[in-house]
Amino acid sequence: MSGAQKSSERSSIHEAATRKRGRSLAALGYTKPQTYEELRAVLSSGTVHFPKRLRQVAIFLWQHPSDVALGTIAQVAEQAGVQPSTLVRFAQIFGYAGFSDFQGLFKDHMKGSWPERAGAERTAEPNANLHFLNGMVGASQASLGRIDNSFDMESFDKMVALLAAADLIYVIGSKRAFPVTTYLSLTLSQQGVRNVLVDNVGSTALDQVGCIGKRDAVLAVSFSPYNSITPDLVAVAHERKARIVTITDSTFSPLVNLSDIWLEVVESDFAGFRSLAASLAVGMALVHGVVARRTA
């Protein structure tokens, strides 16, 4: 078989796979999303399952709509860690001819409000360290601004109620989430709220949650790429009927299906370093709410 024939065959297989995926979405009752909000509704439904690379794209699109709106296909692909062809394939799944048409959803959504780009047109600082500091401050401001614009107060209140009613709160988070959970555990202790920080010292995390029961609660924090021990620990708590509340950054988090209530907190980044400002702010508000409810 010639190279041209092989290329044609691969193209046919790819097109057939794309059509099959499109038919599966139609069978689930979905039509071509016309707005960013409609796209998010499909992604958060839990009924569409993507292979690894397309899932990676979905997580990036969910967390960084302004980057998708502003970037070229090459830039977006690089930031998402995939090939440009993967972005095209993702767009075609949702009924779009290519990525540029699909990108229009994000451009329309971001018109008039570009919180993640606030201050992006600063005059270049003469000092590289000052430039980085200003970048991280900007990322933190963008993260906090996102909470101000779209905070799920109903879920927050339910989380406070579950935690306040618990006999013992297990605070679980690892890797990048660990600084957040450490501070939350410290603050709960300072306020007289009994809790256990699951810190996995000596690889003892599973032992640390070994006594968890149905009268206890878990406060879990997890961020993409979700490759930590946290889902395994939360699964143990789930099996033992403990109540579970989660702070995470997308509907694709493995903690979502294990949680009674979860809150979406998306952190902005600068030069590959991601802020924790919003997660800490929401966490502190949870601690304050729990303490206030217990002393009311």
Side-chain angles (χ1 to χ4, degrees):
M1 182 181 293
S2 69
Q5 288 174 317
K6 289 181 180 179
S7 177
S8 176
E9 182 179 342
R10 284 195 299 268
S11 177
S12 297
I13 293 173
H14 169 71
E15 290 174 4
T18 299
R19 287 196 300 271
K20 182 178 179 182
R21 176 67 68 174
R23 288 197 299 271
S24 68
L25 291 177
L28 290 170
Y30 295 120
T31 58
K32 178 180 176 180
Q34 300 299 317
T35 65
Y36 172 74
E37 287 71 23
E38 289 181 7
L39 175 66
R40 277 180 62 102
V42 175
L43 295 177
S44 64
S45 67
T47 56
V48 182
H49 302 286
F50 300 104
K52 180 179 178 181
R53 288 302 181 192
L54 293 181
R55 177 183 172 84
Q56 190 172 328
V57 170
I59 293 173
F60 182 81
L61 299 185
W62 182 282
Q63 296 177 350
H64 304 282
S66 68
D67 290 325
V68 178
L70 290 170
T72 65
I73 186 171
Q75 290 170 335
V76 175
E78 182 180 2
Q79 290 174 309
V82 299
Q83 295 296 319
S85 60
T86 306
L87 295 179
V88 174
R89 191 161 79 252
F90 190 92
Q92 290 173 340
I93 286 174
F94 289 92
Y96 285 85
F99 179 73
S100 59
D101 294 336
F102 181 67
Q103 190 181 33
L105 298 180
F106 296 84
K107 290 181 177 179
D108 290 342
H109 171 68
M110 298 307 297
K111 279 179 181 176
S113 176
W114 304 88
E116 295 172 45
R117 298 288 170 166
E121 302 300 323
R122 298 175 187 268
T123 301
E125 297 88 351
N127 184 288
N129 292 327
L130 179 59
H131 173 70
F132 182 83
L133 175 61
N134 285 334
M136 287 305 302
V137 169
S140 298
Q141 290 172 334
S143 302
L144 294 167
R146 194 180 293 109
I147 290 179
D148 187 51
N149 293 331
S150 58
F151 189 66
D152 186 350
M153 198 65 214
E154 181 179 355
S155 293
F156 179 86
D157 288 339
K158 290 178 180 177
M159 290 174 73
V160 168
L162 289 181
L163 292 173
D167 285 351
L168 185 63
I169 299 173
Y170 288 77
V171 188
I172 302 176
S174 55
K175 295 189 176 180
R176 190 168 62 86
F178 188 66
V180 179
T181 53
T182 301
Y183 191 44
L184 296 185
S185 176
L186 171 64
T187 309
L188 285 167
S189 297
Q190 290 175 333
Q191 297 298 317
V193 179
R194 295 176 62 245
N195 73 93
V196 173
L197 173 64
V198 181
D199 55 18
N200 198 30
V201 171
S203 300
T204 60
L206 289 171
D207 298 306
Q208 289 177 307
V209 298
C211 295
I212 195 168
K214 62 182 180 180
R215 296 174 63 86
D216 301 321
V218 168
L219 170 54
V221 183
S222 179
F223 307 113
S224 63
Y226 316 123
N227 56 357
S228 68
I229 193 176
T230 302
D232 294 334
L233 300 174
V234 174
V236 171
H238 180 74
E239 290 173 0
R240 299 190 179 186
K241 311 300 182 185
R243 308 307 297 270
I244 299 166
V245 303
T246 295
I247 297 172
T248 192
D249 55 4
S250 86
T251 189
F252 298 97
S253 169
L255 300 188
V256 168
N257 290 333
L258 298 171
S259 302
D260 293 283
I261 303 290
W262 69 283
L263 271 176
E264 179 183 295
V265 178
V266 179
E267 300 279 9
S268 296
D269 65 83
F270 179 77
F273 292 85
R274 206 175 301 179
S275 168
L276 290 174
S279 303
L280 286 167
V282 171
M284 288 298 97
L286 275 176
V287 171
H288 176 269
V290 169
V291 173
R293 193 177 183 95
R294 285 192 169 194
T295 57

